[in-house]
Amino acid sequence: MTTFAEPVLQTAVLGIPVIPLITDVFFGVLGLIAILVFHGSCINHIIMRFDRRTEKNQSQGQYNRVFRHFYASFILIACVHICEIVIWSVYLIALNLIPNGIEALIFAGSCYTTVGFAADSLSAGWKSLAFFIAFSGLFSIAWTTSVMIGMTDAYKKAWGQKYSRSRIKSS
């Protein structure tokens, strides 16, 4: 005896099962939003810290400190990306999609960086979650790139000020 729900659960459009796709998209968008909010919060904190310290150091002629802040910020941003891969790994484990932590980490890192070296270890009905991991990586790396361009401008300005000042002193 079939119930009313069985045909709905087995509905497919163009050969794609609708209910598993909706579930996958829901959890994918949820993870994507969580990662982008985390990324934005961390990046905003790092860039504001960099801007405050750079302004202060440049006004006091402490150019080497600007350089140190630049590299420290770069390392912190790299750590943010690593944390995002770990968050995706924990998410995959929490959803019982990948039981092994190392396998989840490698899969999430492979998708996040869009390198794709890891085998697809997600079960049927969850395969498109890899797209959302990749989207989060693409968006986060693009965001980081734009932030780094602004930081590089401050770095170049400090570099120019330091070495134009030293040429004036040596003349």
Side-chain angles (χ1 to χ4, degrees), residues 120-157:
D120 184 6
S121 49
L122 296 177
S123 59
W126 290 97
K127 298 284 187 188
S128 65
L129 193 59
F131 300 142
F132 293 98
I133 298 171
F135 290 154
S136 72
L138 289 169
F139 294 146
S140 296
I141 290 169
W143 198 341
T144 296
T145 301
S146 69
V147 165
M148 290 301 297
I149 289 170
M151 291 172 59
T152 301
D153 289 342
Y155 182 95
K156 285 171 37 181
K157 180 180 175 188

Side-chain angles (χ1 to χ4, degrees), residues 20 29 32-33 44 51 73 84 97 100 106 108 121 123 141 163:
V29 168
L32 177 68
I33 290 169
N44 187 51
D51 286 345
S73 296
E84 290 165 7
L97 298 175
N100 180 325
I106 290 170
S121 49
S123 59
I141 290 169
Y163 290 104

Side-chain angles (χ1 to χ4, degrees), residues 18 32-33 38-39 92 94 110 131 143 159 163-165:
V18 174
L32 177 68
I33 290 169
F38 175 79
H39 186 82
L92 292 169
S110 174
F131 300 142
W143 198 341
W159 186 271
Y163 290 104
S164 67
R165 178 180 252 173

Side-chain angles (χ1 to χ4, degrees), residues 4-17:
F4 175 74
E6 285 182 34
V8 173
L9 292 174
Q10 296 174 3
T11 302
V13 176
L14 299 173
I16 301 169

